[in-house]
Amino acid sequence: DIQMTQSPSSLSASVGDRVTITCRASDTIKKYLNWYQQKPGKAPKLLIYQTSTLQTGVPSRFSGSGSGTDFTLTISSLQPEDFATYYCQQSYGLLYSFGQGTKVEIK
Amino acid sequence: EVQLVESGGGLVQPGGSLTLSCAATGFTFSSYALQWVRQAPGKGLKYVSAISTSGDKTYYAYSVEDRFIVSRDNSKNILFLQMDSLTAEDTAVYFCARVSPTYSLDRWGQGTLVAVSS
């Protein structure tokens, strides 16, 4: 199984801050890395697929990069609606495993 | 509009069984693979199971294989998850999700809560 490790597990930031979340795979997953945003009581929402492609409707302040085993989600200027939990997910192996999540809180 | 609506959750005793359903509308159901993902209270997302477009290929997390069975009815646009021998560790919100051609989960249902307790 491919294990996904996110860091940090939580962070505090202010509106307007640049935020970076990292995700590491236990084995190469090439470009097959997705990012999701989840707000309390809601279903996850796809933000970015295959490392860097924004899902339709996702603001351009979100970006993704990386390849192989190391990946990054960046929010260039944090907005009030971005306070949520973010999950990475690999879709290279048959079992699509998730990272443990990063909770982005208001400072 | 694409919609996935789960149902069938509830309170069940340890060792019991439950079958979840996920009704799909707004897209060609038979053209998409589907997955079940669960989230224990206050915890992260965990892959549970996946099924191919025709239903001939199924996949399971190690924690549920031999206890859960995923299936689909392409004539009725419904995804199922039959869950047997349930334990407290299976308590979670269960989401169904559509697998996009780019191997991401691009549409999700709202989730249904399964609580295993005596």
Side-chain angles (χ1 to χ4, degrees), chain A residues 91-105:
Chain A
S91 54
Y92 182 68
L94 285 176
L95 310 184
Y96 286 15
S97 47
F98 292 89
Q100 77 276 21
T102 296
K103 187 173 184 179
V104 177
E105 299 175 300

Side-chain angles (χ1 to χ4, degrees), chain A residues 11-77:
Chain A
L11 65 90
S12 295
S14 301
V15 172
D17 283 354
R18 181 181 182 89
V19 168
T20 299
I21 299 168
T22 63
C23 182
R24 174 165 287 178
S26 61
D27 199 354
T28 181
I29 57 171
K30 299 191 176 180
K31 64 177 181 178
Y32 295 98
L33 191 282
N34 309 308
W35 291 97
Y36 300 85
Q37 177 193 66
Q38 187 181 32
K39 296 182 178 179
K42 300 294 188 182
K45 171 188 171 184
L46 176 66
L47 293 178
I48 291 172
Y49 60 90
Q50 291 189 1
T51 298
S52 59
T53 304
L54 261 60
Q55 176 71 342
T56 301
V58 173
S60 59
R61 63 181 179 272
F62 290 92
S63 64
S65 63
S67 67
T69 60
D70 293 306
F71 301 86
T72 299
L73 171 69
T74 299
I75 309 172
S76 60
S77 178

Side-chain angles (χ1 to χ4, degrees), chain B residues 4 22 24 27 29-37 47 49-53 57 59 70-74 77-80 96-100 105 107:
Chain B
L4 297 167
C22 172
F27 65 99
F29 184 75
S30 60
S31 296
Y32 289 84
L34 300 162
Q35 293 195 3
W36 288 99
V37 175
Y47 166 95
S49 182
I51 188 167
S52 62
T53 53
K57 297 183 179 67
Y59 309 93
V70 62
S71 61
R72 62 191 295 166
D73 185 336
N74 284 348
N77 294 356
I78 304 178
L79 171 70
F80 300 99
C96 62
R98 186 179 81 168
V99 183
S100 77
L105 304 181
R107 294 290 191 272

